[in-house]
Amino acid sequence: MSDRIAIVAGNWKMHGSLASNALLIQRLMAGLVDVRAKCQVLLCVPFPYLAQVASLVAAGSGQAPLLLGAQDVSEHDVGAWTGETSAAMLKDLGCSHVLVGHSERRSYFGDNNVRVAAKFMAAQRNGLCPVLCVGETLDEREQGRTEAVVAQQLDAVIAAAGVAALDNAVLAYEPVWAIGTGKTASPAQAQAVHAFLRHHISTHDATLARQLRILYGGSVKAGNARELFSQTDVDGGLIGGASLIAEDFLAICSAAGA
Ligand code: PEP
């Protein structure tokens, strides 16, 4: 970790209920008091619960400020797009961040590099900070294509939005083979890809590259977070399963604030 302020982002995926969310937020608020100054904590919750979590977070903001985010966004701003949710709506509900290009959106919902770039720009156009997810599949890693794949995913956004757009964004490296599988990239594997991404961006803008937060995601747990986050170019994590269990998520936040 460097002097960049770490971020720990929870991705609840399609989990939660009014009752379980209230309990989880209450436990997080109570436990985060100690780590809040050392890292930022972002919760990316399902669309139907954004308003609930926004009001719980607002009610307890003196206790522990939590940032609110969504897990996806439409690339369109308004109109006849049944089932879609616009960035302006997310902003209206109190979101500051939104995930774009999560591997589950890329694999199951047709989010290719062009659409991900359009979503990234829609987020920024409406005052949200996109968390751009990139990562390779196991096949791609075994073929030695990790760097080429993540560079292509990143370059699609740079080509569409310009490199300066990364100034108001967060990058998340999430190897697809590590998401929800219990297989974590080793700290060295994570560091190597993070360093590659930072170097790749530095060929456009060295200052921006130095300041950009790059999160690692993929089976981060309380037991492996500290070592992953201690890597020079790892600025926190994007946490799926473990973000649903207050004590695990709190332990991960502490590891990022260490
Ligand atoms: C994710 O959903 O982005 C993720 C990294 O999940 P998990 O931590 O469960 O692997």
Side-chain angles (χ1 to χ4, degrees):
M1 199 110 53
S2 65
D3 55 358
R4 294 176 290 270
I5 296 174
I7 307 182
V8 177
N11 174 15
W12 288 5
K13 309 197 188 202
M14 199 171 72
H15 293 288
S17 67
L18 291 172
S20 67
N21 301 343
L23 201 60
L24 181 55
I25 297 293
Q26 186 192 45
R27 289 182 176 156
L28 291 179
M29 294 273 197
L32 277 170
V33 172
D34 293 338
V35 285
R36 68 178 173 177
K38 300 186 194 133
C39 75
Q40 293 181 317
V41 181
L42 166 68
L43 300 179
C44 297
V45 315
F47 291 137
Y49 297 131
L50 285 169
Q52 179 207 14
V53 175
S55 84
L56 291 169
V57 164
S61 61
Q63 208 177 351
L66 285 166
L67 300 170
L68 183 65
Q71 299 169 14
D72 189 29
V73 64
S74 173
E75 67 261 49
H76 306 290
D77 281 343
V78 69
W81 303 103
T82 303
E84 289 289 89
T85 303
S86 74
M89 292 171 185
L90 299 179
K91 182 85 182 161
D92 208 13
L93 283 169
C95 290
S96 54
H97 291 71
V98 62
L99 305 182
V100 296
H102 189 280
S103 73
E104 286 152 20
R105 302 303 309 178
R106 291 181 189 266
S107 311
Y108 309 134
F109 299 97
D111 280 12
N112 57 23
N113 283 340
V114 171
R115 184 176 293 164
V116 170
K119 290 183 173 192
F120 181 102
M121 289 191 290
Q124 287 193 335
R125 226 177 13 250
N126 290 281
L128 295 175
C129 177
V131 180
L132 172 65
C133 306
V134 300
E136 82 289 1
T137 62
L138 188 57
D139 262 8
E140 289 163 343
R141 173 163 282 265
E142 286 174 351
Q143 288 164 21
R145 297 184 51 229
T146 297
E147 292 186 355
V149 169
V150 296
Q152 204 174 25
Q153 292 169 334
L154 180 57
D155 285 346
V157 170
I158 293 175
V163 73
L166 291 175
D167 207 18
N168 177 32
V170 174
L171 193 54
Y173 168 57
E174 296 209 301
V176 180
W177 49 271
I179 298 179
T181 58
K183 286 185 203 151
T184 317
S186 68
Q189 282 173 320
Q191 168 57 25
V193 179
H194 283 229
F196 168 77
L197 288 165
R198 203 178 297 285
H199 177 261
H200 190 72
I201 294 163
S202 77
T203 61
H204 297 274
D205 185 331
T207 307
L208 191 157
R210 247 192 324 275
Q211 290 167 353
L212 181 70
R213 269 98 54 95
I214 309 180
L215 314 184
Y216 168 79
S219 297
V220 177
K221 307 285 177 221
N224 59 22
R226 196 170 294 268
E227 211 186 337
L228 284 161
F229 298 165
S230 70
Q231 303 300 304
T232 316
D233 288 295
V234 177
D235 305 310
L238 178 50
I239 320 298
S243 71
L244 297 166
I245 301 160
E247 66 175 1
D248 291 359
F249 192 61
L250 287 167
I252 293 168
C253 292
S254 294

